């Protein structure tokens, strides 16, 4: 490859030489174990495909004496030339190209399959280029060219038939995948659709021939699915639908036939041709025995899909489809437990969504009619679904594998979603039905009920209440009254009770008197580790939604919660949830009670933290330290007295005063020395530092300006942390301080001192090598972007070097991590917008704005992720709006060197890019499109499949 590249250009232009060199490059690509040599060969071959000589040497690569890999490259080259370089075709060569391609497809009809398919794709691409203008009879001509008098059962005849079917199949696919303007695509789709009748006739003949081999009929089915993408109507494929249904009795064609039937009947305008579907209903009903057998054998997955798809949007002819609905219901209610006894019932759930959508999309008069027909069906469906959601007997469930249990859990989620959707059709009457059944089970002593039946009905309630507003339902008070009557001697039943209570938390907020009925149930379950997730979740939801009505229950909630926390009954995530629940609870109590209860809650944990802090650092005590700090963080994250003030304003419209002695601030002030002690020992442990920062950050987000008494202390602490061991968490905490207190005059001094210190330390990191600290760099960029946005006059200080920040940003553009690049773009977008009001910004842009633009263009033209195009565009948009004259100079100087930022760019490309950038000062979306186009041009990818998805 190196020798080829060093030869004179005129020698390389020879088609014969290109062919010989191509063979060598292909051998190197396929067989050389050296990856570097493979990459070089790949690059050379890509360039060779784009050369004019490729029109000639591709045929030589297709000779019978070449190995399949080389033949495949020859076919791929043909496709590349036709699809991407059509304008390079020498004048007068179209007829020759067409005849040669048809000949080659015929010659490769017997294989290799990969080469044949690629040649068919190339021929399809040619047809799309000339169909509308110079070859309107392309499809009939091709049908004629490949049809011979030979029987499809003979080897040659079958091969030519398969080649023709392959060509017909890829033709619509090529139309879908090619980058063609929408108007042109529509024109070609219409032109091809005109030939559907002749194609359909051929396909139907092949399906109906009793001697047609299985591979031929399978290829026919694929061909049908492909052509249906041209919006072929059901009326025009009615005969094929009947033929496909007939194939369902042939096991080897069953799956493909199902897929084809689905394609035919799921066309957008299918409902306009109900008569066509009615014709095949007898055939579908004739499959009932086959369906029963499939149920028995547990082999009905694709059959279920076929049946429910047959019913799409056919409510106008419900009489003809009632038997089909019953068949689907029997599939949904397949006997046995999923997934141990059967695995097919889940496949029918989508049908019920579809049928319901069809009904609710009708006009009011027809909807009323069909609701009368289908409401009883959907009530029956609810019974079936709840039966399927039932747990098996305890001994059977104990024998299930972990995977079976997980699949059953997922299956129940699907049933839950279906019940929630069905409620939209059936309304409150569904809740009434569930309530009546549950009441009967719990009060009828003559017929003892199983816990599984009770659990299933509660599951139904929970599924609906989880997402639907049930505040107007008159059965919820009765349900709340029934819950204490349930003897929950089983984990699954107890979990469902807890989840049901949690789902009713919003209702309980409006009916606080009912809390006394269910809260003891939750608190009792809190001490059971097996109910951890369900019980803690219910408690958290009640405390969040009902916080203002829990005063009478606060002592009980606090006592039980503190007890289970001390006993370590729950895992760490659930402990965090408990603390969040208590944060909601405490912040809504009368102000004179809050501090005392808060101290009683946190004191045991702080004492434990003091004990751990007094011990030498070790892996054994790091985890509990992080855990306790996490508990405090989650407690403070929901401890929001502002919510209490808002409620007070609504109830008693008086002006609330700032909370000068916020209880959280009191606790943090008392714990501050302890936190300093912990940091002094654990400063090099990122997990501990992050946990400490999280305590303050979550408190800060919740307390907002109430946090003010701690700002000076915290600034000093952050400075000590960052000086000793720079970490991103300290920068993120500083960003929150700037965001909330950046405009507070009284706190201006400690915040700017901290910002100066952090900036100087981070500059030294850049000088020593920042590549190993992408998280620190990202957070540093975000910090200064926030500071510029929130309090730009911070940068008027002589001690805060904005120029240094600028050059750190330039270096940050060299990082490959997308989050770091995004944060850097945010910094420069904000920085450029202040070029007029901050002299130092204006100076650095005048001095080195060109360097910024060069760096940015290198990143855009390099291998940066496509998701960043929007952020690069925002930097350029900010420059275009705020300093257009400087941007004009930077652009032209930066793009002047040949080959910058890419050898793929021509002078015309660069000039066009400059004009577009300088002209765009209104639309960020348009600027993003400009940047995307420039990135693709820089990488030589414009017009490729990658570009279509960019």
């Amino acid at each position: 490859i190196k020798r080829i590249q060093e030869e004179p250009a005129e020698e390389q232009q020879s088609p014969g030489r290109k062919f010989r060199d191509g063979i060598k490059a292909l051998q190197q690509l396929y067989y050389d174990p050296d990856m570097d040599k493979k990459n070089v060969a790949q690059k050379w071959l890509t360039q060779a495909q784009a050369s004019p000589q490729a029109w000639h040497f591709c045929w030589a690569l297709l000779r019978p004496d070449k190995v399949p890999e080389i033949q495949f490259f020859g076919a791929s080259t043909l496709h590349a030339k036709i699809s991407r370089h059509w304008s390079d075709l020498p004048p007068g060569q179209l007829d020759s190209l067409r005849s040669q391609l048809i000949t080659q497809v015929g010659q490769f009809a017997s294989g290799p399959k990969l080469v044949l398919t690629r040649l068919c794709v190339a021929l399809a691409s040619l047809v799309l280029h000339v169909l509308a203008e110079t070859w309107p009879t392309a499809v009939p001509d091709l049908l004629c060219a490949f049809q011979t008098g030979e029987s499809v059962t003979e080897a040659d005849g079958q091969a030519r038939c398969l080649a023709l079917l392959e060509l017909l199949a890829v033709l619509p696919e090529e139309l879908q995948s090619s980058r063609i303007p929408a108007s042109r695509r529509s024109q070609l789709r219409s032109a091809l659709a005109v030939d559907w009748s002749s194609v359909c006739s051929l396909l139907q003949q092949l399906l109906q021939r009793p001697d047609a081999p299985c591979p031929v009929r399978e290829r026919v089915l694929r061909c049908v699915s492909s052509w249906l993408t041209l919006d072929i109507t059901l009326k025009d494929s009615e005969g094929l639908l009947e033929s496909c249904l007939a194939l369902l009795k042939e096991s080897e064609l069953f799956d493909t036939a199902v897929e084809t039937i689905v394609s035919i009947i799921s066309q957008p305008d299918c409902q306009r041709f109900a008569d066509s579907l009615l014709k095949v209903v007898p055939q579908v009903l004739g499959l009932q025995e086959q369906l029963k057998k499939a149920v028995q054998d547990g082999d009905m997955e694709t059959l279920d899909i076929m049946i429910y798809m047959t019913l799409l949007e056919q409510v106008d002819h419900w009489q003809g489809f009632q038997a089909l609905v019953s068949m689907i219901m029997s599939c949904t209610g397949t006997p046995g437990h999923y997934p141990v006894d059967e695995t097919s019932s889940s496949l029918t759930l989508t049908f019920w969504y579809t049928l319901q959508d069809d009904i609710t999309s009708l006009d009011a008069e027809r909807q009323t009619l069909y609701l009368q027909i289908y409401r009883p069906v959907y009530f029956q469906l609810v019974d079936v679904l709840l039966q399927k959601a039932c747990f098996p007997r305890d001994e059977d469930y104990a024998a299930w594998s972990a995977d079976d249990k997980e699949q059953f859990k997922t299956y129940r989620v699907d049933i839950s979603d279906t019940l929630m959707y069905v409620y939209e059709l059936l309304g409150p009457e569904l809740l009434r039905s569930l309530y009546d059944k549950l009441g009967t089970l719990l009060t009828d002593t003559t017929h003892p009920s199983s816990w599984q039946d009770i659990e299933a009905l509660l599951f139904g309630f929970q599924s609906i209440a989880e997402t639907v507003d049930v505040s107007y339902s008159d059965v919820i008070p009765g349900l709340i009254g029934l819950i204490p009557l349930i003897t929950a001697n089983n984990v699954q039943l107890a979990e469902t009770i807890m989840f049901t209570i949690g789902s009713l938390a919003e209702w309980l907020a409006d009916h606080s008197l009912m809390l006394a009925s269910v809260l003891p149930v939750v608190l009792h379950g809190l001490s059971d580790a097996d109910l951890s997730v369900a019980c803690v979740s219910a408690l958290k939801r009640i405390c969040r939604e009902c916080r203002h009505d829990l005063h009478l229950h606060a002592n009980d909630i606090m006592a039980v919660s503190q007890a289970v926390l001390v006993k370590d009954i729950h895992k760490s995530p659930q402990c965090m949830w408990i603390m969040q629940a208590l944060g909601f609870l405490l912040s809504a109590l009368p102000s004179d009670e809050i501090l005392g209860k808060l101290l009683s809650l946190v004191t045991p944990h702080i004492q434990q933290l003091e004990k751990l802090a007094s011990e030498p650092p070790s892996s054994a005590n790091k985890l509990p330290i992080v855990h306790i700090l996490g508990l405090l963080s989650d407690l403070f994250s929901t401890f929001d007295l502002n919510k209490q003030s808002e409620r007070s304003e609504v109830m008693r419209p008086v002006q609330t005063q700032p909370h000068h002695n916020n209880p959280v601030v009191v606790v943090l002030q008392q714990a501050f020395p302890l936190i300093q002690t912990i940091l002094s020992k654990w400063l090099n442990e990122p997990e501990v530092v992050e946990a400490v920062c999280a305590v303050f950050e979550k408190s800060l987000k919740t307390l907002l300006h109430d946090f003010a008494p701690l700002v000076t202390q915290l600034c000093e602490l952050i400075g000590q942390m960052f000086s000793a061991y720079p970490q991103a968490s300290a920068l993120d905490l500083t960003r929150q301080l700037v965001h909330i207190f950046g405009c507070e005059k009284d706190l201006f001094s400690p915040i700017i001192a901290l910002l100066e210190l952090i900036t100087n330390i981070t500059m030294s990191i850049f000088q020593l090598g920042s590549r190993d600290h992408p998280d620190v760099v990202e957070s540093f960029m975000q910090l200064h972007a926030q500071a510029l946005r929130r309090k730009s006059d911070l940068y008027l200080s002589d001690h805060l070097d904005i120029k240094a920040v600028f050059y750190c940003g330039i270096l940050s553009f060299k990082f490959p991590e997308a989050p770091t690049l995004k944060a850097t773009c945010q910094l420069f977008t904000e920085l450029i917008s202040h070029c007029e009001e901050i002299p130092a910004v204006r100076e650095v842009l005048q001095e080195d704005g060109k360097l910024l633009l060069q760096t940015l263009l290198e990143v855009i033209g390099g291998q940066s992720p496509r998701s960043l195009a929007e952020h690069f565009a925002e930097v350029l948009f900010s420059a275009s709006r705020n300093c257009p004259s400087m941007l004009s100079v930077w652009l032209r100087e930066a793009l002047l060197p040949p080959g910058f930022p890419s050898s793929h760019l021509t002078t015309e490309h660069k000039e066009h890019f400059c004009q577009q950038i300088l002209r765009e000062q209104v639309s960020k979306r348009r600027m993003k499109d400009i940047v995307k186009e420039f990135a693709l041009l820089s990488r030589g990818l414009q017009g490729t499949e990658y570009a279509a998805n960019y």
Side-chain angles (χ1 to χ4, degrees):
I1 297 299
K2 184 178 179 183
R3 177 186 57 75
I4 294 170
Q5 292 171 332
E6 292 173 350
E7 286 180 347
E10 57 272 14
E11 177 66 19
Q12 294 186 37
Q13 297 305 310
S14 162
R17 185 51 185 271
K18 209 76 168 178
F19 164 68
R20 293 191 297 274
D21 292 340
I23 295 293
K24 294 176 182 176
L26 284 166
Q27 290 171 340
Q28 187 166 303
L29 175 66
Y30 288 125
Y31 306 119
D32 197 312
D34 190 326
M35 284 305 300
D36 290 336
K37 292 181 179 179
K38 284 180 179 288
N39 292 335
V40 172
Q42 177 70 54
K43 184 176 180 181
W44 187 91
L45 288 167
T46 302
Q47 294 171 347
Q49 279 187 325
S51 70
Q53 290 74 34
W55 289 111
H56 304 285
F57 70 71
C58 61
W59 304 111
L61 296 174
L62 288 165
R63 290 174 186 163
D65 60 335
K66 303 303 177 190
V67 296
E69 292 88 347
I70 291 177
Q71 292 172 335
F72 178 77
F73 182 78
S76 297
T77 300
L78 262 174
H79 177 244
K81 296 302 294 180
I82 294 170
S83 61
R84 301 178 198 169
H85 308 283
W86 181 251
S87 58
D88 294 347
L89 181 68
Q93 293 296 309
L94 174 58
D95 290 343
S96 173
L97 174 63
R98 179 171 60 192
S99 61
Q100 282 184 282
L101 249 179
I102 293 173
T103 300
Q104 289 289 343
V105 170
Q107 290 177 351
F108 280 91
S110 300
K113 177 67 166 57
L114 280 174
V115 181
L116 172 64
T117 300
R118 210 67 191 150
L119 286 170
C120 288
V121 172
L123 183 50
S125 184
L126 183 146
V127 169
L128 296 179
H129 274 293
V130 299
L131 177 64
E133 292 81 15
T134 58
W135 197 15
T137 59
V139 174
D141 290 349
L142 290 170
L143 292 177
C144 183
F146 284 94
Q147 290 187 74
T148 68
E150 298 168 323
S151 168
V152 294
T153 58
E154 297 175 5
D156 290 343
Q158 180 177 334
R160 289 184 66 82
C161 182
L162 288 171
L164 173 60
L165 292 171
E166 182 70 19
L167 175 58
L168 290 174
V170 301
L171 190 52
E173 293 170 0
E174 181 68 5
L175 176 62
Q176 293 294 108
S177 61
S178 299
R179 283 186 58 80
I180 301 173
S183 58
R184 171 73 174 173
R185 188 186 304 276
S186 178
Q187 180 188 19
L188 289 172
R189 182 182 286 111
S190 299
L192 286 175
V194 168
D195 294 314
W196 169 243
S197 59
S198 55
V199 173
C200 180
S201 176
L202 169 66
L203 300 180
Q204 196 161 345
Q205 289 175 29
L206 291 172
L207 284 181
Q208 293 175 347
R209 288 186 62 165
D211 61 341
C214 183
V216 169
R217 290 190 290 172
E218 188 167 12
R219 194 71 58 84
V220 168
L221 294 173
R222 182 199 159 197
C223 196
V224 172
S225 297
S226 178
W227 276 75
L228 288 171
T229 61
L230 303 177
D231 299 331
I232 305 298
T233 67
L234 177 60
K235 184 70 174 176
D236 294 330
S237 53
E238 183 181 301
L240 278 172
L241 177 58
E242 295 179 15
S243 298
C244 291
L245 282 166
L247 293 179
L248 291 176
K249 298 188 183 299
E250 300 187 29
S251 58
E252 65 271 21
L253 293 172
F254 181 84
D255 290 343
T256 312
V258 167
E259 293 172 7
T260 308
I261 292 167
V262 168
S263 297
I264 294 173
I265 64 176
S266 58
Q267 293 297 95
D269 61 350
C270 182
Q271 60 181 341
R272 292 199 298 116
F273 304 100
D275 289 342
S276 297
L277 276 178
L278 284 171
K279 292 178 182 179
V280 300
V281 168
Q283 284 180 274
V284 177
L285 292 176
L287 299 170
Q288 192 156 7
E289 290 304 316
Q290 189 175 348
L291 175 61
K292 290 179 180 177
K293 183 177 185 303
V295 172
Q296 294 170 358
D297 297 342
D299 178 25
M300 51 185 282
E301 288 85 352
T302 50
L303 184 56
D304 283 356
I305 296 175
M306 183 277 294
I307 293 174
Y308 84 68
M309 289 300 292
T310 305
L311 296 173
L312 282 177
E313 302 184 7
Q314 298 310 310
V315 293
D316 283 344
H317 302 273
W318 64 272
Q319 298 96 332
F321 288 95
Q322 282 300 292
L324 290 175
V325 173
S326 298
M327 288 173 67
I328 302 301
M329 187 71 78
S330 68
C331 293
T332 305
T334 302
H337 286 94
Y338 183 99
V340 175
D341 303 317
E342 57 90 11
T343 57
S344 55
S345 58
S346 62
L347 299 170
T348 65
L349 297 181
T350 305
F351 163 77
W352 300 106
Y353 285 90
T354 305
L355 182 59
Q356 181 174 330
D357 287 342
D358 289 338
I359 295 170
T360 55
S361 65
L362 296 170
D363 58 71
E365 183 179 350
R366 296 167 71 207
Q367 187 176 140
T368 301
L369 170 64
Y370 290 111
L371 281 175
Q372 291 175 359
I373 299 166
Y374 283 106
R375 277 177 67 86
V377 174
Y378 273 89
F379 273 109
Q380 180 189 354
L381 173 65
V382 171
D383 292 339
V384 169
L385 291 176
L386 292 179
Q387 183 60 43
K388 293 297 296 182
C390 278
F391 280 89
R393 294 182 306 170
D394 292 336
E395 56 269 30
D396 293 337
Y397 189 67
W400 282 17
S401 67
D403 185 55
D404 288 338
K405 291 179 180 178
E406 186 61 31
Q407 287 189 56
F408 182 60
K409 180 180 177 181
T410 303
Y411 178 64
R412 279 169 54 98
V413 171
D414 293 338
I415 289 178
S416 176
D417 292 341
T418 308
L419 290 171
M420 178 269 295
Y421 203 71
V422 168
Y423 180 82
E424 296 181 13
L425 187 76
L426 300 179
E429 192 178 338
L430 173 56
L431 290 178
R432 167 61 63 182
S433 172
L434 295 177
Y435 172 71
D436 290 343
K437 291 175 182 177
L438 180 62
T440 300
L441 286 178
L442 293 175
T443 57
D444 186 357
T445 56
T446 59
H447 297 89
S449 57
S450 69
W451 71 261
Q452 288 93 338
D453 292 332
I454 296 172
E455 190 277 337
L457 287 167
L458 284 173
F459 172 74
F461 266 111
Q462 181 228 330
S463 300
I464 296 166
E466 196 68 59
T467 53
V468 175
D469 180 11
V470 295
S471 58
Y472 53 84
S473 173
D474 60 352
V475 304
I476 302 301
L479 173 64
I480 296 291
L482 288 176
I483 285 177
L485 301 179
I486 301 172
T487 303
N489 51 10
N490 178 277
V491 171
Q492 286 81 23
L493 174 57
E495 276 190 334
T496 302
I497 291 173
M498 297 302 170
F499 282 128
T500 303
I501 294 172
S503 70
L504 296 172
E506 290 186 34
W507 185 90
L508 288 166
D510 296 325
H511 304 81
S512 57
L513 291 176
M514 304 300 293
L515 283 167
S517 297
V518 294
L519 197 54
V521 177
V522 176
L523 294 179
H524 177 73
L526 206 59
S527 58
D528 188 341
D530 291 332
L531 301 179
S532 182
V533 173
C535 195
V536 174
S537 172
L539 178 65
K540 179 182 172 182
R541 295 176 73 170
I542 289 174
C543 289
R544 182 182 64 211
E545 302 298 336
C546 310
R547 68 181 83 176
H548 300 293
D549 302 300
L550 292 174
H551 184 206
L552 297 176
H553 309 283
N555 289 335
D556 292 337
I557 295 173
M558 289 282 295
V560 175
S561 298
Q562 287 178 279
V564 298
L565 287 170
V566 169
K567 295 176 183 177
D568 287 333
I569 291 174
H570 302 283
K571 295 180 180 179
S572 183
Q574 281 68 56
C575 291
M576 304 302 170
W577 290 1
I578 291 175
M579 292 302 265
Q580 289 174 19
L582 296 177
F584 288 125
L585 173 68
L586 290 172
S587 60
L589 293 178
S591 55
D592 58 340
E593 297 181 22
I594 295 177
L595 182 59
K597 283 186 166 56
L598 177 62
L599 288 172
S600 71
L601 173 62
V602 301
T603 297
H605 301 292
I606 290 177
Q607 290 173 346
Q608 178 67 13
L609 204 57
E610 288 175 340
K611 179 177 180 297
L612 292 166
S614 66
E615 299 172 357
S618 69
S619 56
N621 55 21
K622 181 178 78 170
L623 196 60
I625 288 176
V626 171
H627 174 73
I628 294 172
L629 291 171
L631 292 178
L632 296 176
S633 298
D634 280 270
L635 173 65
F636 298 153
S637 71
T638 57
F639 195 101
D640 190 356
L641 293 183
N642 294 312
K643 296 288 185 183
Q644 186 189 53
S645 298
E646 290 171 12
R647 180 175 172 87
S648 298
E649 281 188 22
V650 174
M651 298 176 64
R652 299 185 305 276
V654 296
Q655 186 173 356
T656 57
Q657 299 296 320
H659 306 98
H660 295 297
N661 296 310
N662 190 294
V664 172
V665 173
V666 174
V667 170
L668 287 174
Q669 286 174 328
Q670 293 179 5
F672 214 91
L674 173 60
I675 291 174
Q676 288 177 310
T677 302
I678 292 171
L679 281 175
S680 67
K681 294 185 176 183
W682 294 90
L683 205 51
N684 293 333
E685 283 292 336
E687 288 180 64
V688 177
V689 175
E690 286 175 11
V692 167
C693 289
V695 171
F696 291 110
E697 187 172 1
K698 290 185 178 181
S699 304
L700 189 54
K701 287 180 178 178
T702 307
L703 301 181
L704 300 177
H705 292 278
D706 285 354
F707 193 88
L710 287 164
V711 169
T712 301
Q713 275 182 292
L714 183 57
C715 286
E716 293 175 0
L717 181 65
I718 295 172
Q720 294 168 6
M721 281 194 295
F722 203 76
S723 298
Y725 192 80
Q727 288 187 206
S729 54
L731 292 170
D732 296 334
L733 179 55
T734 305
R735 177 156 51 90
Q736 287 299 324
L737 281 171
V738 170
H739 175 67
I740 296 171
F741 296 105
C743 297
E744 298 284 339
K745 292 182 179 179
D746 296 342
L747 300 172
F748 189 86
S749 179
I751 289 177
I752 195 171
L754 175 61
L755 196 58
E756 290 171 1
L757 175 64
I758 282 176
T759 301
N760 292 332
I761 293 172
T762 308
M763 282 173 54
S764 65
I765 294 176
F766 274 95
Q767 291 168 354
L768 296 172
S770 57
R771 182 64 198 93
D772 294 333
H773 307 282
D775 56 335
V776 172
V777 172
E778 177 191 344
S779 294
F780 183 69
M781 296 292 113
Q782 291 173 337
L783 168 60
H784 279 283
Q786 179 70 273
L788 282 163
R789 189 180 304 116
R790 184 71 174 157
K791 184 70 174 173
S792 60
D793 54 4
L794 288 170
Y795 295 90
L796 298 175
S797 164
D798 294 334
H799 302 291
L800 192 55
D801 192 351
I802 189 63
K803 293 185 178 181
V805 176
F806 176 91
Y807 293 114
C808 289
I810 296 291
L811 293 173
S812 301
F813 268 134
K814 304 294 183 181
F815 280 66
E817 290 84 3
T820 305
L821 289 172
K822 177 181 175 181
T824 305
C825 289
Q826 291 170 345
L827 168 69
F828 280 113
T829 299
E830 202 62 44
L831 184 142
I832 293 170
S833 70
H834 294 284
C835 64
E836 292 299 325
E837 60 196 72
I838 304 177
V841 171
R842 185 167 59 254
E843 290 173 14
V844 75
L845 287 175
Q846 288 171 341
E847 294 170 6
D848 274 317
K850 175 185 170 184
L851 174 61
L852 167 61
L853 195 68
Q854 284 177 323
T855 308
L856 181 61
L857 292 176
E858 279 183 322
V859 179
I860 293 173
Q863 298 301 315
S864 58
R866 67 181 74 175
S867 60
L868 293 174
E870 178 180 353
H871 304 288
F872 297 144
E874 286 183 357
V875 178
L876 290 170
F877 187 76
S878 182
S880 180
R881 294 196 67 175
N882 295 287
C883 48
S885 56
M886 286 194 286
L887 177 62
S888 176
V889 175
W890 302 339
L891 273 171
R892 301 193 187 284
E893 290 183 359
L895 290 171
L896 188 61
F900 179 85
S902 165
S903 58
H904 293 289
L905 294 171
T906 64
T907 304
E908 291 75 17
H909 288 148
K910 295 180 182 181
E911 181 60 31
H912 181 59
F913 176 67
C914 289
Q915 292 174 358
Q916 287 182 302
I917 292 293
L918 296 172
R919 195 164 49 235
E920 191 52 67
Q921 296 184 0
V922 177
S923 171
K924 288 185 179 181
R925 179 178 294 276
R926 175 61 188 144
M927 184 66 83
K928 179 183 175 182
D929 292 339
I930 295 168
V931 170
K932 284 171 59 177
E933 181 183 5
F934 185 76
L936 292 169
L937 284 170
S938 299
R939 303 175 198 183
L941 293 173
Q942 194 174 43
T944 64
E945 185 176 346
Y946 176 86
N949 298 320
Y950 190 83

